[in-house]
Amino acid sequence: MKVLIIEDETTASENLVEMLKEIDSSIEVLHVLESVQQTVRWLSTNPAPDLIFMDIHLSDGSAFTLFDQIDIQTPIVFTTAYDQYALDAFTVNSIDYLLKPIKTVELTRALDKFKRWSKSDVVAYLEQMMKLRPSEKASGDYKQTLLIPSKDKLLPVNTEDVACIYSTDRKTQVYLKNKSVLDYNRSLDSIIGSLDPAHFFRANKQYIVARDCILEIVIWFDSRLLLRLPIELPEPLFVSKNRAAEFKNWMTRPQNSTFRN
């Protein structure tokens, strides 16, 4: 069995490789990839593996954006520390969903499931899953207002007033153009899909930035791009080097273009 691992945490990928070898020494790990763009390039230039193990949070954004850029027919076992993406996972090519830290018994069960299925079983299953995928949104279907909980109230915030959205492991915050900051109990992965990609870009794991709030773009020494906004931020806003080319293309496209970031 030939497998591909898509995981941006070195320890996690090394542990997964070791576990796979212990379970079945005949498994061949073709490659370990760390980002969406690396994965797009690799899958575009190499024969498809038999099975993919894929983390959801990658170095340059959500793994779900892969499915907007390339046609993936290979079955996928998602590996993540978060359980809130299970439904999204099963609307793409997922045959299983393993929570970190991955247990040997759960990994064995996922491999056994894959081995039991014939190729026709896998194809039939994935066809059913693909029917559940949401259709491409029209520009008018993206959220114009965010409802942000505040104590016993819901604050309506117009997306046109948002400068950026910042997230850490502990919290997510919406930074407004008027310099207000609001706590928002959603992940960036779940937020970005509801925002118009003509106006918002996922710069890295921590930031979503509004296009009309970018004052200056500084080319950094390691090929990253530093974005300067007219508001104070908790830490510098960099576009990761894996997304720099895509970001520059996004910045120069007409705002009425239809595309996903």
Side-chain angles (χ1 to χ4, degrees):
M1 182 194 307
K2 297 181 179 181
V3 306
L4 177 68
I5 295 175
I6 304 170
E7 167 65 69
D8 68 338
E9 296 178 10
T10 302
T11 301
S13 62
E14 290 177 347
N15 288 342
L16 180 55
V17 170
E18 185 176 342
M19 292 173 69
L20 288 170
K21 291 295 183 182
E22 288 178 355
I23 294 169
D24 185 348
S25 60
S26 68
I27 291 176
E28 178 184 357
V29 177
L30 297 174
H31 210 77
V32 177
L33 304 168
E34 299 181 355
S35 71
V36 172
Q37 292 309 309
Q38 283 181 5
T39 304
V40 170
R41 288 193 294 270
W42 195 94
L43 290 175
S44 299
T45 56
N46 291 276
D50 298 313
L51 183 64
I52 296 174
F53 288 89
M54 182 184 292
D55 189 12
I56 291 177
H57 292 276
L58 300 177
S59 62
D60 58 350
S62 169
F64 292 122
T65 62
L66 276 167
F67 300 93
D68 296 320
Q69 301 181 53
I70 190 171
D71 182 26
I72 301 177
Q73 299 295 329
T74 304
I76 295 169
V77 174
F78 280 97
T79 58
T80 178
Y82 306 92
D83 60 4
Q84 65 263 41
Y85 306 111
L87 182 58
D88 291 332
F90 284 100
T91 63
V92 287
N93 296 32
S94 177
I95 63 167
D96 216 327
Y97 188 96
L98 305 180
L99 287 175
K100 295 177 182 177
I102 298 172
K103 298 178 177 60
T104 301
V105 64
E106 294 172 347
L107 181 58
T108 302
R109 188 183 302 123
L111 289 169
D112 287 345
K113 178 196 294 186
F114 175 73
K115 291 175 182 177
R116 284 197 309 270
W117 287 1
S118 65
K119 186 174 181 179
S120 60
D121 290 333
V122 173
V123 170
Y125 175 82
L126 295 182
E127 285 178 349
Q128 289 301 312
M129 292 297 100
M130 294 299 285
K131 290 178 182 178
L132 299 176
R133 288 191 67 187
S135 57
E136 189 75 11
K137 291 183 179 180
S139 59
D141 292 336
Y142 293 102
K143 284 189 177 180
Q144 304 298 314
T145 303
L146 303 178
L147 291 178
I148 300 181
S150 177
K151 297 182 180 179
D152 58 347
K153 301 177 182 177
L154 288 173
L155 301 179
V157 174
N158 195 312
T159 56
E160 292 182 356
D161 297 327
V162 174
C164 70
I165 304 173
Y166 170 76
S167 183
T168 65
D169 291 338
R170 295 186 298 273
K171 63 182 178 180
T172 298
Q173 294 176 305
V174 177
Y175 282 72
L176 303 181
K177 294 173 183 176
N178 66 6
K179 301 183 180 180
S180 298
V181 181
L182 300 171
D183 290 335
Y184 194 27
N185 60 347
R186 292 187 61 190
S187 68
L188 293 193
D189 284 336
S190 64
I191 296 169
I192 190 64
S194 65
L195 299 175
D196 189 340
H199 302 291
F200 291 93
F201 187 86
R202 178 73 177 270
N204 54 44
K205 280 188 171 184
Q206 294 177 287
Y207 277 106
I208 294 171
V209 62
R211 180 173 176 165
D212 62 359
C213 239
I214 299 170
L215 295 181
E216 192 174 51
I217 304 168
V218 180
I219 301 175
W220 213 244
F221 68 93
D222 57 355
S223 300
R224 292 182 298 169
L225 302 175
L226 173 66
L227 307 186
R228 291 187 174 145
L229 277 61
I231 61 172
E232 186 175 348
L233 298 175
E235 60 180 285
L237 198 172
F238 286 100
V239 177
S240 59
K241 61 183 179 180
N242 291 322
R243 304 216 72 192
E246 184 182 354
F247 171 81
K248 286 184 280 189
N249 181 54
W250 174 75
M251 280 294 295
T252 57
R253 293 185 67 167
Q255 294 200 32
N256 59 356
S257 296
T258 300
F259 63 100
R260 300 289 299 271
N261 63 48

